[in-house]
Amino acid sequence: MSGNIEPGTTEPENKEPENIEAESTAPGGTGPGNKDSAGPQPEYDASTSETTPDAASGSTDETLNALSKKPKGRRNWLLALIALIVVIAVSAGAWVFSSLRSTPASTGTVAKSVTIGLKLAPTNLDIRNESGSALDQVLIGNVYQGLVARSSENKVVPAIAKSWSKSDDGLTYTFTLNTGMHFSNGDVLDANDVVWSIRELVDKQYTDADVLSTMKSITATDDNTVVITLNKPYSALLWALSGRAGLVFDKDASYDAKTQAVGSGPFLLSSFRQGDSITLTADGKYWGSDKAKTQEIIIRYFADDNAAVNALKSGDVQVLAPITENLASTFSNNDDYVVKAGDDTDKFVLAFNSKGTSTSDKRVRQAIRYAINNEELIAARGGSDAALGGPIPSLDPGYEDLTDLYPYNPTKAKSLLAEAGYSTAKPLTLRFEYANIYGTEIGDQLKSQLKAVGIDLQVNVVEFSAWLQDVYTNKDYDLSLVDHNESHDFYQWADPEYYYNYDNPKVQELYAKALAATSDEEEESLLRQAARLVSEDAPADWLFNYRVTTARVKGLSGFPVNLNQSLLPLWNVTMRNPA
């Protein structure tokens, strides 16, 4: 499952059994090193972000330090001091004059602390055992780092590894690591930590271990080189390693992973208040170039949308993500705020049971697609979401705009229903069951749209647990709705056992070939072909690609807009207060 079906559930690229029961990291919830001590005992102080002054001189200014040396003579020392004062005065005057000409009159001061409002709060911080995108969102890239990372365009980029290469047969990946790396407690980070972390993931079947099912071995050929070999080519390996599967931990650290963290990222975890807030502090001795620009980031969680909006209005938070488009209108017309929608991989999928009594008929499924006015649905949500005509969103490999396959055409829908044997005298009745986390409005809209072509949609909004049993497990439904938010999740359409009941051998063949592709171009081409076949078969209607709306105060910059519900690097965030 994915996304908002079960908050926090993740889905592997190559389908494996879901909801794996992972082993505990250590007795009592201690961290990767499985030490006996109650918590981390760092010998390395990572709490300050400023360079310590030279102990002898008490200053970091080279000129003043030079003057503090023993003078050769009183007269020479005095002349040197006078000359220095003159130079400083002239330079200062020139700088002030230049500043008056080139600097805006009111630039304000840079805030030492920024507060961010988010929605989904993690129940604990154990990123190895606890599922949930809320953990990835706040910890990956900020506190923990992986062998590789993801950009805001959902591309794989360097992280702990500065570069990598792949053999022509796609079976061997060689990673060259950065040098001079260390964890926040001062422990050196090298290839041995990478190998240990990934081996532990697989051996103990931590969350997302299944995405490395094709891995044959992982070795450190030296302190700065890691080699991964595969049993068979797996084109999504790098992307898989950019998530939890590639995270690197300190095997010698000891901490309670549910409430603490020892990572190698630009921030330290200062505090965790379950369901309320997480505080991150800049690690002044962070090894990388993406050093935190703000000393403290406070993340507050708001289950209530109105409370979140009030917090932004009052200045208690400086940015909200997400905010519904309708609530965002409060800030859109105010020059003190900036409202922007970013791309994401959420797909609101209206699934048609491919083995249903009526929906097994392709003509019925096609009629439903023609009857749905996607633009109307998007407009009702505020207009920021994007039309999506197939199973792959714009940020994933293999994307193609397929919205022209089934444009809104109620006349065509009626014609297809007539071919399938339905008419006013013999109306088509369909059961539409979905979880109450999506509200009732979308059900009412779809009922109205389908009624216009002669379909009686019986809407049943249920608790999520009931949906899991009826739809996901028993597959007892005609239509159902889920926000599948995971990236690279096309495998759902190549799995005839998934709750869609969709079974197309050609799609399965193309997907298998895409996984075995040895070049990005080959993979994308095969996925495009498969996605087009799926959309043509109409096992679902992709109502829209949800785009996350973010609202922030005008003085804040560097906050990610794309993918910020699963990927939220905060090192570049700054807040300039009004002058």
Side-chain angles (χ1 to χ4, degrees):
M1 289 176 295
S2 165
N4 295 336
I5 334 177
E6 182 174 12
T9 306
T10 56
E11 295 177 310
E13 170 68 13
N14 54 336
K15 183 71 170 75
E16 295 289 339
E18 297 175 295
N19 299 327
I20 295 173
E21 191 69 30
E23 296 182 31
S24 173
T25 311
T30 54
N34 197 20
K35 298 283 187 180
D36 294 328
S37 60
Q41 304 295 327
E43 299 177 353
Y44 171 85
D45 183 5
S47 63
T48 177
S49 62
E50 297 181 330
T51 305
T52 303
D54 182 270
S57 66
S59 173
T60 58
D61 189 304
E62 292 181 356
T63 304
L64 294 179
N65 287 342
L67 287 177
S68 70
K69 295 177 182 178
K70 184 177 180 180
K72 291 184 178 180
R74 179 181 176 85
R75 179 178 174 80
N76 289 342
W77 177 87
L78 184 58
L79 290 173
L81 180 59
I82 293 171
L84 178 64
I85 292 171
V86 170
V87 170
I88 292 174
V90 172
S91 298
W95 179 84
V96 170
F97 179 72
S98 174
S99 298
L100 288 172
R101 296 179 60 185
S102 60
T103 305
S106 298
T107 57
T109 58
V110 176
K112 292 183 179 181
S113 179
V114 168
T115 303
I116 295 166
L118 301 181
K119 191 171 183 68
L120 293 178
T123 55
N124 68 65
L125 302 180
D126 189 355
I127 200 164
R128 285 183 149 188
N129 290 304
E130 184 72 19
S131 64
S133 59
L135 276 179
D136 303 57
Q137 180 185 33
V138 104
L139 294 182
I140 297 180
N142 293 317
V143 178
Y144 294 117
Q145 292 179 305
L147 189 56
V148 292
R150 298 172 194 166
S151 71
S152 60
E153 300 304 319
N154 212 25
K155 305 297 184 184
V156 176
V157 295
I160 285 173
K162 65 180 181 181
S163 63
W164 54 86
S165 61
K166 179 173 66 173
S167 62
D168 291 340
D169 61 7
L171 295 177
T172 304
Y173 288 73
T174 303
F175 298 86
T176 301
L177 309 189
N178 289 288
T179 57
M181 297 183 293
H182 55 75
F183 293 99
S184 59
N185 61 0
D187 288 355
V188 171
L189 192 168
D190 59 23
N192 297 301
D193 295 289
V194 176
V195 171
W196 177 82
S197 297
I198 293 178
R199 281 180 179 169
E200 283 281 291
L201 174 89
V202 174
D203 291 346
K204 296 186 177 179
Q205 285 295 293
Y206 292 132
T207 302
D208 281 4
D210 45 3
V211 301
L212 298 183
S213 62
T214 61
M215 188 178 78
K216 180 179 180 181
S217 67
I218 178 170
T219 56
T221 57
D222 58 46
D223 285 349
N224 300 314
T225 309
V226 172
V227 177
I228 294 178
T229 59
L230 306 177
N231 291 311
K232 59 182 180 180
Y234 178 39
S235 61
L237 176 68
L238 289 173
W239 189 87
L241 290 171
S242 69
R244 295 195 190 194
L247 292 181
V248 178
F249 300 91
D250 182 0
K251 62 184 175 63
D252 296 320
S254 177
Y255 57 95
D256 184 349
K258 292 185 176 181
T259 58
Q260 300 170 310
V262 174
S264 60
F267 288 98
L268 306 170
L269 176 70
S270 296
S271 73
F272 168 61
R273 298 174 62 189
Q274 187 178 26
D276 179 76
S277 66
I278 290 175
T279 301
L280 304 177
T281 305
D283 183 352
K285 296 181 180 179
Y286 170 59
W287 63 269
S289 60
D290 50 339
K291 298 182 186 299
K293 294 183 178 179
T294 298
Q295 180 62 30
E296 180 185 68
I297 301 285
I298 301 170
I299 297 165
R300 290 183 56 192
Y301 293 99
F302 295 91
D304 181 80
D305 290 343
N306 290 317
V309 167
N310 289 334
L312 183 58
K313 284 181 179 179
S314 67
D316 288 345
V317 303
Q318 286 76 58
V319 58
L320 285 182
I323 180 173
T324 66
E325 189 70 11
N326 293 328
L327 286 176
S329 61
T330 304
F331 306 103
S332 298
N333 300 319
N334 189 325
D335 291 340
D336 293 331
Y337 299 93
V338 176
V339 176
K340 189 173 182 180
D343 293 328
D344 216 310
T345 58
D346 291 61
K347 303 160 291 291
F348 270 64
V349 181
L350 180 67
F352 312 146
N353 190 343
S354 291
K355 291 185 179 179
T357 303
S358 301
T359 49
S360 58
D361 189 328
K362 183 176 179 179
R363 294 168 299 183
V364 170
R365 302 196 305 268
Q366 290 177 315
I368 297 171
R369 292 201 67 183
Y370 280 121
I372 293 174
N373 187 337
N374 301 84
E375 291 184 2
E376 184 177 84
L377 297 177
I378 292 171
R381 290 169 52 87
S384 288
D385 298 324
L388 182 65
I392 297 180
S394 61
L395 290 180
D396 276 357
Y399 169 74
E400 179 184 6
D401 184 352
L402 298 174
T403 54
D404 61 341
L405 289 181
Y406 290 94
Y408 176 55
N409 189 337
T411 302
K412 181 70 172 176
K414 291 176 182 178
S415 175
L416 284 165
L417 288 172
E419 287 181 26
Y422 299 98
S423 63
T424 305
K426 185 187 175 183
L428 172 61
T429 300
L430 295 173
R431 296 171 299 136
F432 177 28
E433 180 172 320
Y434 67 96
N436 56 10
I437 55 177
Y438 302 114
T440 59
E441 183 179 1
I442 196 165
D444 293 340
Q445 291 170 320
L446 289 169
K447 181 179 178 69
S448 175
Q449 289 185 0
L450 297 189
K451 182 180 180 180
V453 300
I455 297 175
D456 179 17
L457 197 62
Q458 301 295 311
V459 181
N460 186 23
V461 182
V462 299
E463 294 290 334
F464 176 70
S465 57
W467 180 91
L468 273 178
Q469 187 64 42
D470 298 342
V471 178
Y472 188 77
T473 303
N474 297 336
K475 303 174 187 176
D476 182 16
Y477 73 101
D478 293 323
L479 276 68
S480 191
L481 171 69
V482 169
D483 170 15
H484 285 280
N485 74 348
E486 290 298 317
S487 178
H488 289 62
D489 62 358
F490 185 84
Y491 77 86
Q492 299 168 354
W493 304 102
D495 179 6
E497 298 302 315
Y498 203 63
Y499 79 91
Y500 303 142
N501 278 327
Y502 175 66
D503 188 358
N504 185 325
K506 183 61 177 177
V507 170
Q508 295 158 26
E509 177 189 348
L510 287 168
Y511 180 62
K513 288 181 177 179
L515 286 181
T518 55
S519 72
D520 293 343
E521 294 76 16
E522 182 186 9
E523 177 196 16
E524 293 215 22
S525 175
L526 290 163
L527 286 173
R528 274 195 297 273
Q529 294 175 56
R532 178 172 281 273
L533 281 179
V534 172
S535 187
E536 288 173 347
D537 278 346
D541 188 272
W542 295 267
L543 299 179
F544 45 81
N545 179 191
Y546 170 57
R547 301 181 75 234
V548 178
T549 299
T550 298
R552 61 175 174 83
V553 295
K554 195 170 185 179
L556 185 136
S557 63
F559 187 83
V561 177
N562 287 355
L563 295 168
N564 64 26
Q565 296 306 288
S566 57
L567 180 75
L568 194 65
L570 298 171
W571 67 272
N572 200 33
V573 171
T574 58
M575 173 65 196
R576 189 167 290 277
N577 295 316

